[in-house]
Each structure stands twice: as structure tokens, then as C-alpha cells.
């Protein structure tokens, strides 16, 4: 199981799949969050802080690991994408009478993305072609 998880998260062969899964999960969260009463039901098990921070941290990991480039470029791209995703999520919520958009929720999304990206940037292998390592 560990080998499968490691390959799914780190193997370059699955890089594009991780990027697509990030957007699929995001779309799924938007859809589920738009169902009347679904957010209230989830609130029985996890607070908004937990849901936002864990959800957007997972998206950051998938976006970071799903892009080619340097760790700094990946981190920057992932954070900016999550910031946009969070803003869109909060804006969509304003269209439903049983939901409301919140700047605080968006800030939690951004903080989760920044913290996750910093950890990934710091610990992601700085691998490159072997002939460039000297």
C-alpha cells in the first residue's frame, strides 16, 4: 500500500493525473457545497476551519506535485491557483441563500496553501538530470 501511495504522489508518470484530480476534487467540493444542507451536515463532523484548511492543503499538494518545474515555481503556481480557487468558491457561495461567502474562509484557504507549499518547497527532492549534478 505504501508503494502505491508513494507512486501516486511522487512518480512523474502520474504528474498530469494529480493535476487533473486536483481540479476534479475542487469541482466536486463546489458541487457538494451547493447542495442544500450538505455543509450543515458536514459541520457535525468537522468545523469550517478544518474543512477549508485540509481541503485546500490537499489541493495544494496535488497542484504542486502535478506540475513540472522547480520547487519554487511549483509552490508559487500552487498557491496562486489555490487562492483563485478559494476566491471562486466563496463567490459562488454568495449566489445561494443558504450559504454565504466569507473573506475569513478565503484567508484560511490561502494560509493552508502557503503553509503546505512552504513545507513542500523545503522538503521536495531537488532532483534533476544526473549529468547536471556536479
Amino acid at each position: 500500500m505504501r508503494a502505491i501511495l508513494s507512486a501516486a504522489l511522487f512518480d512523474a508518470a502520474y504528474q498530469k493525473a494529480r493535476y487533473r484530480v486536483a481540479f476534479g476534487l475542487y469541482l466536486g467540493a463546489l458541487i457538494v457545497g451547493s447542495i442544500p444542507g450538505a455543509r450543515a451536515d458536514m459541520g457535525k463532523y468537522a468545523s469550517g476551519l478544518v474543512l477549508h484548511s485540509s481541503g485546500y492543503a490537499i489541493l495544494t499538494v496535488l497542484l504542486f506535485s502535478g506540475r513540472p518545474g522547480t520547487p519554487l515555481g511549483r509552490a508559487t503556481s500552487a498557491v496562486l491557483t489555490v487562492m483563485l480557487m478559494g476566491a471562486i468558491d466563496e463567490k459562488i457561495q454568495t449566489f445561494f441563500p443558504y450559504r454565504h461567502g466569507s473573506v475569513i474562509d478565503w484567508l484560511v484557504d490561502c494560509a493552508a496553501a502557503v503553509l503546505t507549499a512552504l513545507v513542500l518547497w523545503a522538503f521536495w527532492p531537488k532532483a534533476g538530470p544526473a549529468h547536471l549534478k556536479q
Side-chain angles (χ1 to χ4, degrees):
M1 182 66 174
R2 179 179 278 174
I4 293 171
L5 184 60
S6 178
L9 288 175
F10 303 112
D11 194 332
Y14 301 109
Q15 194 172 42
K16 288 182 182 179
R18 287 189 298 269
Y19 198 73
R20 290 182 186 129
V21 166
F23 285 97
L25 288 175
Y26 174 69
L27 187 60
L30 292 178
I31 291 168
V32 170
S34 300
I35 298 171
R39 174 60 187 94
D41 290 343
M42 285 187 278
K44 295 175 187 173
Y45 304 103
S47 69
L49 178 68
V50 170
L51 291 171
H52 276 267
S53 59
S54 61
Y56 282 93
I58 290 168
L59 289 176
T60 304
V61 169
L62 291 170
L63 291 167
F64 180 98
S65 66
R67 300 266 308 172
T70 65
L72 180 59
R74 289 173 168 203
T76 303
S77 175
V79 168
L80 292 174
T81 303
V82 167
M83 290 174 73
L84 181 61
M85 287 174 152
I88 292 169
D89 180 16
E90 296 305 318
K91 181 63 179 172
I92 287 172
Q93 290 178 25
T94 64
F95 294 113
F96 297 98
Y98 47 88
R99 299 292 311 268
H100 67 280
S102 168
V103 173
I104 300 297
D105 286 350
W106 179 72
L107 291 173
V108 169
D109 303 341
C110 295
V114 168
L115 291 174
T116 303
L118 281 172
V119 170
L120 290 168
W121 170 78
F123 294 106
W124 196 261
K126 310 294 191 265
H131 67 280
L132 294 177
K133 290 184 178 182
Q134 293 179 350

